[in-house]
């Protein structure tokens, strides 16, 4: 079982609230990712990080922001939640180098914005 | 046209059946081909990967890649109820440090009935 953790697992929150989704991994992986997954749709990469103090936006535009101050921690923040942010958010990590395709996923956070 | 097409199913088979799951793709640059398995309320986990064309076998699972047809398959022999999950194909192009950017299919929901 992958050692990557996400909290909370489920979150229901009102419009306009600020939220932070937590993601931690204990595998020492340099690369970390945030994906968005909607029912019946593909996983889409919204943020990734090569390492500490390195973050980039993914292919899917997102109003969220991320930070990477420690190798093991990659939180995602929404400053003002909206119903359009309702989705499942998956965090993942991988080693550096050619095995970047082998990504270890957390269990996900299911976010509902009312 | 989406880069990766995958029939979302759902697919329902009796225990012991041979299951065939497929994806087609349009990007000739894809070199790494993966199958991820996602159980309900869990994150995806890497099941198999193949580099370039060919077959790969792991127990009851066989992955096939036909780059000339831009077609990949996953076969499950002697399917078990524990195989019930969503199967996601994923692909990426570059080797080295850039092969982390995975393009996913929508996933096929498989149910194996006892």
């Amino acid at each position: 079982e992958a050692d990557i953790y996400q909290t909370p697992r489920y979150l229901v929150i009102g419009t306009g609230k600020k939220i932070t989704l937590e993601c931690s991994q204990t595998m020492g992986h340099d690369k970390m990712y945030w994906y968005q997954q909607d029912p019946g749709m593909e996983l889409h990469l919204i943020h990734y990080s090569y390492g500490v103090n390195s973050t980039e936006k993914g292919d899917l535009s997102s109003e969220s922001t991320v930070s990477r101050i420690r190798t093991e921690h990659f939180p995602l923040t929404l400053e003002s939640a909206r119903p359009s942010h309702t989705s499942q958010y998956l965090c993942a990590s991988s080693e550096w180098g050619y095995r970047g395709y082998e990504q270890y996923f957390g269990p996900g956070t299911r976010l509902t914005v009312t | 046209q989406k880069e990766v097409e995958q029939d979302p199913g759902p697919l329902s088979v009796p225990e012991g059946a041979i299951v065939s799951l497929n994806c087609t793709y349009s990007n000739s640059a894809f070199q790494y081909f993966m199958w991820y398995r996602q159980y309900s309320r869990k994150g995806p986990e890497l099941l198999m990967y193949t580099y370039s064309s060919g077959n790969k076998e792991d127990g009851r699972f066989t992955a096939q890649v036909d780059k000339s047809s831009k077609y990949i398959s996953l076969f499950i022999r002697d399917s078990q109820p524990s195989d019930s999950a969503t199967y996601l194909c994923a692909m990426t192009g570059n080797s080295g440090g850039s092969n982390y950017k995975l393009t996913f299919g929508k996933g096929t929901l498989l149910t194996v009935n006892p």
Side-chain angles (χ1 to χ4, degrees):
Chain A
E1 184 138 337
D3 297 321
I4 181 162
Y5 309 97
Q6 289 186 245
T7 56
R9 292 291 312 276
Y10 303 92
L11 180 62
V12 180
I13 202 162
T15 297
K17 300 290 187 183
K18 178 180 179 179
I19 59 170
T20 297
L21 308 184
E22 300 288 348
C23 176
S24 294
Q25 52 97 2
T26 59
M27 296 172 282
H29 288 164
D30 287 314
K31 290 183 180 174
M32 295 190 73
Y33 317 85
W34 276 103
Y35 289 90
Q36 193 169 329
Q37 184 180 35
D38 293 312
M41 300 299 291
E42 303 88 343
L43 269 76
H44 286 291
L45 182 67
I46 52 175
H47 297 284
Y48 62 95
S49 169
Y50 285 115
V52 171
N53 294 325
S54 156
T55 61
E56 300 284 346
K57 288 189 180 292
D59 298 326
L60 183 68
S61 175
S62 173
E63 293 167 346
S64 57
T65 59
V66 293
S67 62
R68 190 93 181 272
I69 299 173
R70 304 198 315 265
T71 298
E72 63 272 20
H73 194 215
F74 191 40
L76 180 145
T77 299
L78 277 165
E79 290 292 333
S80 179
R82 296 209 300 264
S84 60
H85 297 139
T86 294
S87 187
Q88 166 139 289
Y89 293 84
L90 288 162
C91 180
S93 70
S94 69
E95 296 177 13
W96 187 264
Y98 79 98
R99 291 188 71 89
Y101 57 81
E102 185 173 1
Q103 298 185 7
Y104 295 84
F105 285 82
T109 294
R110 188 169 297 277
L111 172 66
T112 302
V113 183
T114 61
Chain B
Q1 182 188 9
K2 287 185 179 291
E3 280 193 293
V4 177
E5 298 278 2
Q6 181 176 11
D7 185 343
L11 184 60
S12 181
V13 301
E15 184 175 352
I18 296 174
V19 176
S20 172
L21 304 168
N22 312 292
C23 289
T24 59
Y25 64 95
S26 58
N27 189 341
S28 300
F30 287 147
Q31 296 279 4
Y32 293 86
F33 303 91
M34 284 70 67
W35 288 96
Y36 279 80
R37 178 175 61 193
Q38 185 175 19
Y39 290 113
S40 180
R41 304 188 189 286
K42 301 274 190 181
E45 58 178 343
L46 181 63
L47 187 60
M48 296 189 72
Y49 81 93
T50 309
Y51 174 70
S52 193
S53 282
N55 294 357
K56 190 169 186 177
E57 189 173 319
D58 184 1
R60 297 184 293 108
F61 298 89
T62 299
Q64 287 186 352
V65 175
D66 181 349
K67 290 189 72 179
S68 62
S69 302
K70 295 188 177 68
Y71 188 87
I72 72 169
S73 300
L74 177 70
F75 297 96
I76 307 174
R77 291 185 299 279
D78 187 25
S79 56
Q80 302 295 309
S82 58
D83 295 328
S84 298
T86 297
Y87 290 80
L88 303 142
C89 63
M91 310 173 189
T92 186
N94 299 321
S95 59
S98 301
N99 67 349
Y100 59 88
K101 278 198 166 185
L102 305 185
T103 301
F104 284 87
K106 290 184 178 183
T108 300
L109 177 61
L110 171 68
T111 301
V112 181
N113 301 299

